[in-house]
Amino acid sequence: MSLRHALLGLLATQPATGYELAQKFDKSLGTAWHASHSQIYPELARLADAGMVEVVGEGARNSRTYAVTEAGYDEIRTWLIETDANRSQRNETAVRWFLLGLLKPEDRRAAVDRELAYAEEYVANLRQIAEQIDAANPEHPFRKTVDLGLRTSSVMQDWLREQR
Amino acid sequence: MSLRHALLGLLATQPATGYELAQKFDKSLGTAWHASHSQIYPELARLADAGMVEVVGEGARNSRTYAVTEAGYDEIRTWLIETDANRSQRNETAVRWFLLGLLKPEDRRAAVDRELAYAEEYVANLRQIAEQIDAANPEHPFRKTVDLGLRTSSVMQDWLREQR
DNA sequence: AATTGACATGTCGAACTTGACACGTCGAGC
DNA sequence: GCTCGACGTGTCAAGTTCGACATGTCAATT
């Protein structure tokens, strides 16, 4: 179950409320995994039961801020180093790109242009995130992942242009 | 529901049995979507009910070969050109890479080496597929997707090496 | 003749995910 | 004082996916 580790990872970077985690999923980890609040809250409760996270503060509007415990950090470490990765993927964009070759040239062009427009948007978003991180803390552990995203996006954009 | 379109896409390339489709999911489309036979058979039946695929042959061991109908091809086309992509993703490998930055240097090294070993394997597999396609039919609609895979893999390998 | 392994299809329960519904708080602007 | 929008947590039904169980065929080896 990656949701668990994704949550632990986000909390390891910085303590947060369930609400904030839901936002971070879309903002930073969204390329890798998506989860909505209806999954996040119950999973946070289970993680707290398991002693992997703990409430470190309560704020307005009944909010609870969680942080990773030692046990939680161990869980991340074990998962990354000792467990075999589940390589399962689900990427609708990739399915679409796969099927591009089945279309007639004029249809393909329309589909490719759509994808290029989206890619443009996506890269702009990544650049913005990169700037935000650089301004706040260039040593942020996720900074390098943003770079990876930018590099692969560049390859993908080139490829899409060739498919027009 | 992308499973449906993934199946239609694979069948559009070449008629196949449910069993063959399950293999192709791992072999070619596996990077983009995974589905096991327990999903594939029922979905094929639904597609047949909807008139998007039809049985074009029956072989040994009660096997049925399906092919895409005109209606099925229309469905692919409409999906690619007119529907908005669902950008949701689930990629455990990416989650792992994201969390790499949280590890201590020596731990990170171990995790990165694991990932590099897997990437090596993955690229070797892609190269083999590329050769097979080139030998059989270099114009195969999926050939270009294999190239994309190779290019992005190369970027990812470079990135992983930098994280050691 | 028996065994083994790939071929081939199918079902079912458990687990996961999504999207809608539900409730309430706080701050800013009118 | 009221309204609106963001903040914040929660549940539940419906749909999707996974893994295990189940059944049987065919070809090649022992």
Short mmCIF file of all heavy atoms in Angstrom, two decimals, chain C residues 6-24:
data_model
loop_
_atom_site.label_atom_id
_atom_site.label_comp_id
_atom_site.label_asym_id
_atom_site.label_seq_id
_atom_site.Cartn_x
_atom_site.Cartn_y
_atom_site.Cartn_z
P DA C 6 5.93 -22.85 -18.22
OP1 DA C 6 7.29 -22.34 -18.43
OP2 DA C 6 5.18 -22.55 -16.97
"O5'" DA C 6 5.01 -22.36 -19.43
"C5'" DA C 6 5.37 -22.68 -20.76
"C4'" DA C 6 4.12 -22.84 -21.58
"O4'" DA C 6 3.28 -23.87 -20.99
"C3'" DA C 6 3.25 -21.58 -21.65
"O3'" DA C 6 2.94 -21.32 -23.02
"C2'" DA C 6 2.01 -21.92 -20.84
"C1'" DA C 6 1.93 -23.43 -21.02
N9 DA C 6 1.19 -24.11 -19.95
C8 DA C 6 1.45 -24.07 -18.61
N7 DA C 6 0.61 -24.79 -17.89
C5 DA C 6 -0.25 -25.34 -18.82
C6 DA C 6 -1.36 -26.21 -18.70
N6 DA C 6 -1.80 -26.68 -17.54
N1 DA C 6 -1.99 -26.56 -19.85
C2 DA C 6 -1.54 -26.08 -21.01
N3 DA C 6 -0.51 -25.27 -21.26
C4 DA C 6 0.10 -24.93 -20.10
P DC C 7 2.10 -20.05 -23.44
OP1 DC C 7 2.58 -19.67 -24.79
OP2 DC C 7 2.07 -19.07 -22.34
"O5'" DC C 7 0.62 -20.64 -23.60
"C5'" DC C 7 0.36 -21.61 -24.60
"C4'" DC C 7 -1.08 -22.06 -24.51
"O4'" DC C 7 -1.32 -22.68 -23.22
"C3'" DC C 7 -2.12 -20.92 -24.62
"O3'" DC C 7 -3.03 -21.26 -25.65
"C2'" DC C 7 -2.77 -20.89 -23.24
"C1'" DC C 7 -2.61 -22.33 -22.79
N1 DC C 7 -2.67 -22.56 -21.32
C2 DC C 7 -3.65 -23.41 -20.81
O2 DC C 7 -4.47 -23.93 -21.59
N3 DC C 7 -3.69 -23.64 -19.47
C4 DC C 7 -2.80 -23.07 -18.65
N4 DC C 7 -2.89 -23.33 -17.35
C5 DC C 7 -1.78 -22.21 -19.17
C6 DC C 7 -1.75 -21.99 -20.48
P DA C 8 -3.93 -20.16 -26.34
OP1 DA C 8 -4.51 -20.73 -27.57
OP2 DA C 8 -3.14 -18.93 -26.42
"O5'" DA C 8 -5.08 -19.95 -25.25
"C5'" DA C 8 -6.19 -20.82 -25.23
"C4'" DA C 8 -7.04 -20.61 -24.01
"O4'" DA C 8 -6.43 -21.11 -22.81
"C3'" DA C 8 -7.39 -19.17 -23.62
"O3'" DA C 8 -8.57 -18.79 -24.32
"C2'" DA C 8 -7.63 -19.28 -22.10
"C1'" DA C 8 -7.28 -20.73 -21.77
N9 DA C 8 -6.63 -20.90 -20.47
C8 DA C 8 -5.40 -20.45 -20.07
N7 DA C 8 -5.10 -20.75 -18.82
C5 DA C 8 -6.22 -21.44 -18.38
C6 DA C 8 -6.54 -22.03 -17.13
N6 DA C 8 -5.74 -22.00 -16.07
N1 DA C 8 -7.75 -22.65 -17.02
C2 DA C 8 -8.57 -22.67 -18.09
N3 DA C 8 -8.38 -22.15 -19.32
C4 DA C 8 -7.16 -21.55 -19.39
P DT C 9 -9.30 -17.39 -23.97
OP1 DT C 9 -10.20 -17.13 -25.11
OP2 DT C 9 -8.31 -16.38 -23.55
"O5'" DT C 9 -10.20 -17.78 -22.72
"C5'" DT C 9 -11.19 -18.79 -22.89
"C4'" DT C 9 -11.87 -19.06 -21.56
"O4'" DT C 9 -10.88 -19.45 -20.58
"C3'" DT C 9 -12.57 -17.84 -20.97
"O3'" DT C 9 -13.97 -18.05 -21.00
"C2'" DT C 9 -12.04 -17.75 -19.52
"C1'" DT C 9 -11.37 -19.10 -19.32
N1 DT C 9 -10.23 -19.05 -18.36
C2 DT C 9 -10.38 -19.68 -17.16
O2 DT C 9 -11.38 -20.29 -16.83
N3 DT C 9 -9.29 -19.56 -16.31
C4 DT C 9 -8.10 -18.90 -16.56
O4 DT C 9 -7.21 -18.88 -15.72
C5 DT C 9 -8.02 -18.27 -17.85
C7 DT C 9 -6.76 -17.55 -18.22
C6 DT C 9 -9.06 -18.37 -18.68
P DG C 10 -15.00 -16.85 -20.68
OP1 DG C 10 -16.31 -17.20 -21.27
OP2 DG C 10 -14.36 -15.56 -21.00
"O5'" DG C 10 -15.11 -16.95 -19.10
"C5'" DG C 10 -15.75 -18.10 -18.56
"C4'" DG C 10 -15.47 -18.17 -17.08
"O4'" DG C 10 -14.06 -18.26 -16.84
"C3'" DG C 10 -15.87 -16.95 -16.26
"O3'" DG C 10 -17.26 -17.04 -15.92
"C2'" DG C 10 -15.01 -17.11 -15.02
"C1'" DG C 10 -13.95 -18.12 -15.43
N9 DG C 10 -12.60 -17.71 -15.04
C8 DG C 10 -11.66 -17.03 -15.76
N7 DG C 10 -10.55 -16.83 -15.11
C5 DG C 10 -10.77 -17.42 -13.86
C6 DG C 10 -9.93 -17.53 -12.72
O6 DG C 10 -8.78 -17.10 -12.56
N1 DG C 10 -10.57 -18.19 -11.68
C2 DG C 10 -11.84 -18.71 -11.74
N2 DG C 10 -12.29 -19.32 -10.64
N3 DG C 10 -12.64 -18.63 -12.80
C4 DG C 10 -12.04 -17.97 -13.82
P DT C 11 -17.90 -15.91 -14.97
OP1 DT C 11 -19.36 -16.09 -15.10
OP2 DT C 11 -17.27 -14.59 -15.22
"O5'" DT C 11 -17.46 -16.34 -13.49
"C5'" DT C 11 -17.82 -17.61 -12.99
"C4'" DT C 11 -17.43 -17.65 -11.53
"O4'" DT C 11 -15.99 -17.52 -11.40
"C3'" DT C 11 -18.05 -16.53 -10.68
"O3'" DT C 11 -18.51 -17.10 -9.48
"C2'" DT C 11 -16.88 -15.57 -10.46
"C1'" DT C 11 -15.68 -16.51 -10.45
N1 DT C 11 -14.38 -15.91 -10.86
C2 DT C 11 -13.31 -16.04 -10.01
O2 DT C 11 -13.37 -16.59 -8.95
N3 DT C 11 -12.15 -15.47 -10.48
C4 DT C 11 -11.94 -14.81 -11.68
O4 DT C 11 -10.84 -14.36 -11.97
C5 DT C 11 -13.11 -14.72 -12.52
C7 DT C 11 -13.02 -14.02 -13.84
C6 DT C 11 -14.26 -15.26 -12.08
P DC C 12 -19.59 -16.34 -8.59
OP1 DC C 12 -20.61 -17.33 -8.19
OP2 DC C 12 -19.98 -15.05 -9.21
"O5'" DC C 12 -18.71 -15.97 -7.32
"C5'" DC C 12 -17.83 -16.94 -6.73
"C4'" DC C 12 -16.94 -16.25 -5.73
"O4'" DC C 12 -15.75 -15.77 -6.40
"C3'" DC C 12 -17.60 -15.03 -5.07
"O3'" DC C 12 -17.49 -15.13 -3.67
"C2'" DC C 12 -16.83 -13.84 -5.64
"C1'" DC C 12 -15.47 -14.45 -5.97
N1 DC C 12 -14.72 -13.76 -7.07
C2 DC C 12 -13.34 -13.59 -6.95
O2 DC C 12 -12.76 -14.03 -5.95
N3 DC C 12 -12.66 -12.96 -7.94
C4 DC C 12 -13.32 -12.50 -9.01
N4 DC C 12 -12.61 -11.90 -9.96
C5 DC C 12 -14.73 -12.66 -9.15
C6 DC C 12 -15.39 -13.29 -8.16
P DG C 13 -18.39 -14.20 -2.72
OP1 DG C 13 -19.35 -15.08 -2.05
OP2 DG C 13 -18.84 -13.00 -3.46
"O5'" DG C 13 -17.30 -13.74 -1.64
"C5'" DG C 13 -16.29 -14.65 -1.20
"C4'" DG C 13 -15.09 -13.86 -0.74
"O4'" DG C 13 -14.40 -13.31 -1.88
"C3'" DG C 13 -15.46 -12.68 0.16
"O3'" DG C 13 -14.51 -12.64 1.23
"C2'" DG C 13 -15.36 -11.47 -0.77
"C1'" DG C 13 -14.25 -11.90 -1.74
N9 DG C 13 -14.32 -11.33 -3.09
C8 DG C 13 -15.44 -11.14 -3.87
N7 DG C 13 -15.17 -10.61 -5.04
C5 DG C 13 -13.80 -10.46 -5.03
C6 DG C 13 -12.93 -9.95 -6.04
O6 DG C 13 -13.21 -9.52 -7.16
N1 DG C 13 -11.60 -9.97 -5.61
C2 DG C 13 -11.17 -10.41 -4.39
N2 DG C 13 -9.86 -10.35 -4.16
N3 DG C 13 -11.97 -10.90 -3.45
C4 DG C 13 -13.26 -10.89 -3.84
P DA C 14 -14.59 -11.53 2.37
OP1 DA C 14 -14.40 -12.22 3.66
OP2 DA C 14 -15.78 -10.67 2.13
"O5'" DA C 14 -13.28 -10.66 2.09
"C5'" DA C 14 -12.03 -11.32 1.91
"C4'" DA C 14 -10.99 -10.30 1.50
"O4'" DA C 14 -11.24 -9.89 0.14
"C3'" DA C 14 -11.02 -9.04 2.36
"O3'" DA C 14 -9.68 -8.71 2.69
"C2'" DA C 14 -11.70 -8.00 1.46
"C1'" DA C 14 -11.30 -8.47 0.06
N9 DA C 14 -12.24 -8.13 -1.01
C8 DA C 14 -13.61 -8.28 -1.01
N7 DA C 14 -14.19 -7.91 -2.14
C5 DA C 14 -13.13 -7.51 -2.94
C6 DA C 14 -13.07 -7.02 -4.25
N6 DA C 14 -14.14 -6.84 -5.03
N1 DA C 14 -11.86 -6.72 -4.76
C2 DA C 14 -10.77 -6.90 -3.98
N3 DA C 14 -10.70 -7.36 -2.72
C4 DA C 14 -11.92 -7.65 -2.26
P DA C 15 -9.33 -7.44 3.58
OP1 DA C 15 -8.19 -7.81 4.43
OP2 DA C 15 -10.59 -6.91 4.17
"O5'" DA C 15 -8.83 -6.38 2.51
"C5'" DA C 15 -7.76 -6.72 1.65
"C4'" DA C 15 -7.59 -5.62 0.63
"O4'" DA C 15 -8.73 -5.61 -0.26
"C3'" DA C 15 -7.51 -4.23 1.26
"O3'" DA C 15 -6.31 -3.63 0.79
"C2'" DA C 15 -8.78 -3.53 0.78
"C1'" DA C 15 -9.09 -4.27 -0.52
N9 DA C 15 -10.49 -4.28 -0.93
C8 DA C 15 -11.59 -4.65 -0.22
N7 DA C 15 -12.73 -4.57 -0.88
C5 DA C 15 -12.35 -4.11 -2.13
C6 DA C 15 -13.07 -3.81 -3.30
N6 DA C 15 -14.39 -3.93 -3.40
N1 DA C 15 -12.37 -3.37 -4.38
C2 DA C 15 -11.04 -3.25 -4.27
N3 DA C 15 -10.25 -3.49 -3.23
C4 DA C 15 -10.97 -3.93 -2.18
P DC C 16 -5.90 -2.16 1.26
OP1 DC C 16 -4.41 -2.15 1.33
OP2 DC C 16 -6.73 -1.73 2.40
"O5'" DC C 16 -6.33 -1.31 -0.01
"C5'" DC C 16 -5.89 -1.71 -1.30
"C4'" DC C 16 -6.55 -0.84 -2.34
"O4'" DC C 16 -7.96 -1.13 -2.39
"C3'" DC C 16 -6.43 0.66 -2.07
"O3'" DC C 16 -5.81 1.21 -3.23
"C2'" DC C 16 -7.88 1.13 -1.88
"C1'" DC C 16 -8.67 0.08 -2.63
N1 DC C 16 -10.09 -0.18 -2.22
C2 DC C 16 -11.10 -0.06 -3.19
O2 DC C 16 -10.78 0.28 -4.34
N3 DC C 16 -12.38 -0.33 -2.83
C4 DC C 16 -12.68 -0.71 -1.59
N4 DC C 16 -13.96 -0.97 -1.30
C5 DC C 16 -11.68 -0.85 -0.59
C6 DC C 16 -10.40 -0.57 -0.94
P DT C 17 -5.39 2.79 -3.29
OP1 DT C 17 -4.27 2.93 -4.26
OP2 DT C 17 -5.27 3.31 -1.91
"O5'" DT C 17 -6.69 3.42 -3.95
"C5'" DT C 17 -7.07 3.04 -5.27
"C4'" DT C 17 -8.28 3.81 -5.70
"O4'" DT C 17 -9.45 3.29 -5.04
"C3'" DT C 17 -8.24 5.32 -5.39
"O3'" DT C 17 -8.26 6.00 -6.63
"C2'" DT C 17 -9.48 5.55 -4.51
"C1'" DT C 17 -10.36 4.35 -4.83
N1 DT C 17 -11.29 3.89 -3.75
C2 DT C 17 -12.62 3.72 -4.06
O2 DT C 17 -13.10 3.95 -5.15
N3 DT C 17 -13.40 3.26 -3.02
C4 DT C 17 -12.98 2.96 -1.73
O4 DT C 17 -13.77 2.55 -0.89
C5 DT C 17 -11.57 3.16 -1.47
C7 DT C 17 -11.00 2.89 -0.11
C6 DT C 17 -10.80 3.61 -2.49
P DT C 18 -8.40 7.64 -6.73
OP1 DT C 18 -7.76 8.04 -8.00
OP2 DT C 18 -7.97 8.23 -5.45
"O5'" DT C 18 -9.96 7.81 -6.90
"C5'" DT C 18 -10.66 6.95 -7.80
"C4'" DT C 18 -12.10 7.37 -7.90
"O4'" DT C 18 -12.85 6.80 -6.80
"C3'" DT C 18 -12.32 8.88 -7.84
"O3'" DT C 18 -13.11 9.23 -8.97
"C2'" DT C 18 -13.02 9.13 -6.50
"C1'" DT C 18 -13.68 7.79 -6.21
N1 DT C 18 -13.79 7.39 -4.78
C2 DT C 18 -14.97 6.82 -4.34
O2 DT C 18 -15.94 6.67 -5.06
N3 DT C 18 -14.96 6.44 -3.02
C4 DT C 18 -13.92 6.56 -2.12
O4 DT C 18 -14.05 6.18 -0.96
C5 DT C 18 -12.72 7.16 -2.64
C7 DT C 18 -11.54 7.35 -1.75
C6 DT C 18 -12.71 7.54 -3.93
P DG C 19 -13.38 10.81 -9.32
OP1 DG C 19 -13.50 10.90 -10.78
OP2 DG C 19 -12.40 11.63 -8.59
"O5'" DG C 19 -14.82 11.07 -8.69
"C5'" DG C 19 -15.86 10.12 -8.88
"C4'" DG C 19 -17.07 10.57 -8.10
"O4'" DG C 19 -16.99 10.06 -6.74
"C3'" DG C 19 -17.25 12.09 -7.99
"O3'" DG C 19 -18.61 12.38 -8.28
"C2'" DG C 19 -16.85 12.39 -6.54
"C1'" DG C 19 -17.22 11.10 -5.82
N9 DG C 19 -16.44 10.79 -4.62
C8 DG C 19 -15.14 11.12 -4.35
N7 DG C 19 -14.72 10.68 -3.18
C5 DG C 19 -15.82 10.00 -2.65
C6 DG C 19 -15.99 9.31 -1.43
O6 DG C 19 -15.17 9.14 -0.53
N1 DG C 19 -17.27 8.77 -1.31
C2 DG C 19 -18.27 8.88 -2.24
N2 DG C 19 -19.43 8.31 -1.95
N3 DG C 19 -18.14 9.53 -3.39
C4 DG C 19 -16.89 10.07 -3.54
P DA C 20 -19.22 13.86 -8.07
OP1 DA C 20 -20.01 14.16 -9.28
OP2 DA C 20 -18.17 14.81 -7.62
"O5'" DA C 20 -20.23 13.60 -6.87
"C5'" DA C 20 -21.02 12.42 -6.87
"C4'" DA C 20 -21.78 12.30 -5.56
"O4'" DA C 20 -20.85 11.89 -4.52
"C3'" DA C 20 -22.43 13.61 -5.09
"O3'" DA C 20 -23.74 13.30 -4.66
"C2'" DA C 20 -21.53 14.07 -3.95
"C1'" DA C 20 -20.99 12.75 -3.40
N9 DA C 20 -19.68 12.84 -2.75
C8 DA C 20 -18.56 13.46 -3.21
N7 DA C 20 -17.51 13.36 -2.41
C5 DA C 20 -17.99 12.61 -1.34
C6 DA C 20 -17.38 12.15 -0.16
N6 DA C 20 -16.10 12.39 0.16
N1 DA C 20 -18.14 11.43 0.69
C2 DA C 20 -19.42 11.18 0.37
N3 DA C 20 -20.11 11.56 -0.72
C4 DA C 20 -19.32 12.27 -1.54
P DC C 21 -24.75 14.49 -4.18
OP1 DC C 21 -26.10 14.08 -4.61
OP2 DC C 21 -24.19 15.80 -4.57
"O5'" DC C 21 -24.67 14.38 -2.59
"C5'" DC C 21 -25.18 13.22 -1.96
"C4'" DC C 21 -24.78 13.24 -0.50
"O4'" DC C 21 -23.34 13.29 -0.41
"C3'" DC C 21 -25.31 14.46 0.28
"O3'" DC C 21 -26.14 13.98 1.32
"C2'" DC C 21 -24.05 15.15 0.79
"C1'" DC C 21 -23.03 14.02 0.75
N1 DC C 21 -21.60 14.46 0.64
C2 DC C 21 -20.69 14.08 1.63
O2 DC C 21 -21.07 13.40 2.59
N3 DC C 21 -19.39 14.48 1.53
C4 DC C 21 -19.00 15.22 0.48
N4 DC C 21 -17.72 15.57 0.43
C5 DC C 21 -19.91 15.61 -0.54
C6 DC C 21 -21.19 15.21 -0.42
P DA C 22 -27.08 14.98 2.15
OP1 DA C 22 -28.30 14.23 2.52
OP2 DA C 22 -27.17 16.27 1.43
"O5'" DA C 22 -26.20 15.23 3.45
"C5'" DA C 22 -25.42 14.20 4.02
"C4'" DA C 22 -24.54 14.79 5.11
"O4'" DA C 22 -23.19 14.96 4.60
"C3'" DA C 22 -24.97 16.16 5.61
"O3'" DA C 22 -25.44 16.01 6.94
"C2'" DA C 22 -23.71 17.02 5.54
"C1'" DA C 22 -22.60 16.01 5.32
N9 DA C 22 -21.46 16.50 4.54
C8 DA C 22 -21.46 16.98 3.26
N7 DA C 22 -20.28 17.36 2.83
C5 DA C 22 -19.44 17.13 3.90
C6 DA C 22 -18.05 17.33 4.10
N6 DA C 22 -17.25 17.83 3.16
N1 DA C 22 -17.54 17.00 5.29
C2 DA C 22 -18.36 16.50 6.24
N3 DA C 22 -19.66 16.26 6.17
C4 DA C 22 -20.15 16.60 4.97
P DC C 23 -26.19 17.26 7.69
OP1 DC C 23 -27.12 16.65 8.66
OP2 DC C 23 -26.68 18.25 6.70
"O5'" DC C 23 -25.00 17.93 8.50
"C5'" DC C 23 -24.25 17.14 9.41
"C4'" DC C 23 -23.02 17.91 9.81
"O4'" DC C 23 -22.15 18.01 8.67
"C3'" DC C 23 -23.30 19.35 10.24
"O3'" DC C 23 -23.24 19.42 11.66
"C2'" DC C 23 -22.16 20.16 9.60
"C1'" DC C 23 -21.30 19.12 8.92
N1 DC C 23 -20.70 19.55 7.62
C2 DC C 23 -19.33 19.76 7.57
O2 DC C 23 -18.64 19.58 8.59
N3 DC C 23 -18.75 20.16 6.40
C4 DC C 23 -19.51 20.35 5.32
N4 DC C 23 -18.90 20.73 4.19
C5 DC C 23 -20.92 20.14 5.34
C6 DC C 23 -21.47 19.76 6.50
P DG C 24 -23.73 20.76 12.45
OP1 DG C 24 -24.02 20.37 13.85
OP2 DG C 24 -24.71 21.46 11.60
"O5'" DG C 24 -22.40 21.64 12.49
"C5'" DG C 24 -21.28 21.18 13.23
"C4'" DG C 24 -20.07 21.97 12.80
"O4'" DG C 24 -19.83 21.79 11.39
"C3'" DG C 24 -20.22 23.50 12.99
"O3'" DG C 24 -19.39 23.91 14.05
"C2'" DG C 24 -19.77 24.07 11.67
"C1'" DG C 24 -19.07 22.89 10.99
N9 DG C 24 -19.04 23.04 9.53
C8 DG C 24 -20.06 22.93 8.62
N7 DG C 24 -19.69 23.14 7.38
C5 DG C 24 -18.33 23.42 7.48
C6 DG C 24 -17.36 23.73 6.48
O6 DG C 24 -17.54 23.84 5.27
N1 DG C 24 -16.10 23.94 7.03
C2 DG C 24 -15.80 23.85 8.38
N2 DG C 24 -14.54 24.08 8.73
N3 DG C 24 -16.68 23.55 9.32
C4 DG C 24 -17.92 23.35 8.80
#
